[in-house]
Amino acid sequence: MDWDGPWRALPLGLLALATLIAAADAATPPAVRLVTIALAAAVAAWHWWMVLAHPQWPERALTPMAIYFAGLLALAWLLSARHPAYTLLVIACFPMAFVALPGRHAYLGVAASAVVVLGDPVALVRSGDSWPRAAAVLGIAALAAFLGWVIRAMEAEVGRRRAANRALESANLRLAALGEENARLQGKLLAAARRTGVEGERGRMAREIHDTVAQSLAGIVTQLEAAEEAADDAAAVRHRLSVARNLARESLTEVRRALHELRPGPLTEARLPEALSALVTGWGDRHELPATLTVTGTARPLHPEVEVTLFRAVQEALVNVARHARAGRTVVTLSYMEDVVVADVRDDGVGFTPSAVSSEGFGLTAMRQRVNRLAGNLGVESAPGQGTAISVSVPAIPATAEWGTT
């Protein structure tokens, strides 16, 4: 609660009440009452100008407020000397000391107000009959000082809490802005990765075509030319045609495989968990090996590039298990986390020493390239006789993220 508002208005209220009492006092001569009312108006103008018209002064300026408080106390003392009702205004100086004066200066204001209420402290010491009054005034001053200290402590605590709340709200806003910026940057990263990936994929396809289809076509042309030259030898012609036919079939198989690798068919009909379930089940049936898929976390739609990368990684890892591991069991785990998605493929096969392998081979290299394009991580852990574990971690970019064009 803001206590300053009520306390700043208190002197005007007590001044108005005391002025009504003094004006209604028939025992006072009219001329004296007019002078008293004029002094009360001067006090009201003084308080309005120094406190209400300039609310920033009590918070920042010690000198104007010290002048204000001294003037208020002097005018209150003068009015109380003219009529006892204005003692209310003198009493109002106790809380006003804490409103107007900063820090420990407020306690000096309380002491000065107590002196004004007491009147002549020296006379009080000499007269034993005035001690009860002095004790009462000092008690009021002590109570005012204590209440002022309590109120300031409460205001300081409220101020600290408000500052803490503002800092927390500011931090939450910054976190929300960072989250939006992170999502936007992830979308841009994916778009850039896709543009870069297209060039890499084109280079890979060019190498594949050169190493497979182009060589096969060149072999077919060579066999057909040889068959034409041996037209008189039927056996040689049949042999050349047979070789050319086999090369054509191999080329067709390579083309279909390359097209299949461009976009996984299972992901066109189902989401990633369902596609991986079908992949693992089909792989286990074909190779007659126990294989299981476990999905942890809350599955959610991801960016197509993310799902393709994870699907291809698991697919390539299973191919390696079938070719090299001689495993008795394979376990695939798909873990959805807050910021990343992780696919793990573990087998209990023969394993190997990763540092002793000079080259990972094209499959694992292509897997690593795919993962790196998404700013992900690929980890391979293995040891002779202890199986192999391949872990792929990529950012959990949502399906609604920005999709770049090439």
Side-chain angles (χ1 to χ4, degrees):
M1 178 179 178
D2 186 4
W3 296 92
D4 282 353
W7 288 127
R8 290 177 182 179
L10 178 64
L12 291 181
L14 294 180
L15 179 64
L17 178 60
T19 301
L20 289 175
I21 295 174
D25 189 355
T28 305
V32 174
R33 277 184 282 177
L34 287 176
V35 173
T36 302
I37 293 173
L39 285 174
V43 173
W46 177 253
H47 178 76
W48 174 83
W49 175 256
M50 297 297 291
V51 175
L52 300 180
H54 300 90
Q56 72 276 11
W57 285 358
E59 298 178 359
R60 300 187 180 93
L62 171 61
T63 301
M65 284 300 98
I67 295 173
Y68 155 76
F69 188 79
L72 176 66
L73 194 57
L75 292 171
W77 173 78
L78 182 61
L79 284 171
S80 66
R82 299 183 66 84
H83 196 280
Y86 287 100
T87 304
L88 293 173
L89 183 61
V90 179
I91 294 175
C93 291
F94 286 114
M96 282 305 299
F98 288 94
V99 174
L101 301 176
R104 297 179 180 179
H105 298 88
Y107 297 98
L108 295 177
V110 170
S113 301
V115 171
V116 171
V117 173
L118 288 172
D120 185 1
V122 177
L124 290 175
V125 172
R126 293 174 179 174
S127 175
D129 295 338
S130 299
W131 274 109
R133 175 170 166 263
V137 172
L138 292 176
I140 293 174
L143 179 61
F146 175 74
L147 292 178
W149 175 79
V150 171
I151 290 173
R152 283 205 167 166
M154 293 173 61
E155 288 182 338
E157 180 63 24
V158 170
R160 284 192 294 270
R161 291 184 179 180
R162 287 177 178 173
N165 289 337
R166 287 194 296 268
L168 181 60
E169 290 176 0
S170 177
N172 289 335
L173 291 176
R174 287 196 300 270
L175 287 176
L178 287 175
E180 294 177 358
E181 180 68 11
N182 184 53
R184 186 179 65 84
L185 291 177
Q186 280 189 334
K188 287 188 174 182
L189 174 64
L190 184 58
R194 182 173 180 264
R195 287 191 292 269
T196 304
V198 167
E199 296 300 325
E201 195 71 10
R202 287 173 178 170
R204 186 185 70 82
M205 289 298 298
R207 292 192 300 271
E208 291 251 327
I209 292 174
H210 175 270
D211 295 339
T212 57
V213 179
Q215 292 183 5
S216 297
L217 291 176
I220 291 173
V221 171
T222 300
Q223 295 299 322
L224 292 177
E225 290 176 347
E228 185 178 9
E229 293 177 356
D232 296 335
D233 188 346
V237 170
R238 285 194 299 270
H239 173 70
R240 298 296 183 182
L241 292 177
S242 176
V243 173
R245 183 165 48 264
N246 291 334
L247 288 174
R249 287 174 177 171
E250 291 176 1
S251 298
L252 180 60
T253 300
E254 290 296 331
V255 169
R256 288 174 175 173
R257 183 186 63 80
L259 292 176
H260 180 70
E261 286 184 353
L262 290 178
R263 185 181 63 179
L267 288 177
T268 62
E269 303 294 336
R271 304 310 304 175
L272 181 61
E274 292 78 10
L276 285 181
S277 177
L279 173 66
V280 172
T281 301
W283 180 87
D285 293 341
R286 285 194 305 273
H287 297 280
E288 298 182 350
L289 290 174
T292 59
L293 170 67
T294 302
V295 180
T296 64
T298 303
R300 56 190 183 276
L302 300 174
H303 198 287
E305 194 79 5
V306 174
E307 294 194 342
V308 168
T309 298
L310 292 171
F311 183 87
R312 287 301 187 203
V314 173
Q315 185 180 50
E316 183 62 32
L318 292 176
V319 169
N320 289 337
V321 172
R323 288 178 178 174
H324 311 295
R326 299 199 296 273
R329 180 176 178 80
T330 303
V331 177
V332 180
T333 304
L334 179 65
S335 303
Y336 286 87
M337 304 179 188
E338 183 177 357
D339 299 324
V340 298
V341 182
V342 181
D344 296 301
V345 181
R346 300 177 180 272
D347 65 72
D348 59 357
V350 297
F352 63 97
T353 302
S355 60
V357 179
S358 59
S359 176
E360 293 179 340
F362 180 78
L364 206 54
T365 300
M367 186 194 308
R368 190 179 299 278
Q369 291 173 350
R370 282 183 178 273
V371 173
N372 289 342
R373 284 201 298 267
L374 294 183
N377 293 306
L378 172 65
V380 180
E381 296 181 3
S382 185
Q386 298 183 14
T388 301
I390 294 179
S391 178
V392 175
S393 174
V394 294
I397 304 174
T400 56
E402 178 184 346
W403 178 259
T405 58
T406 60

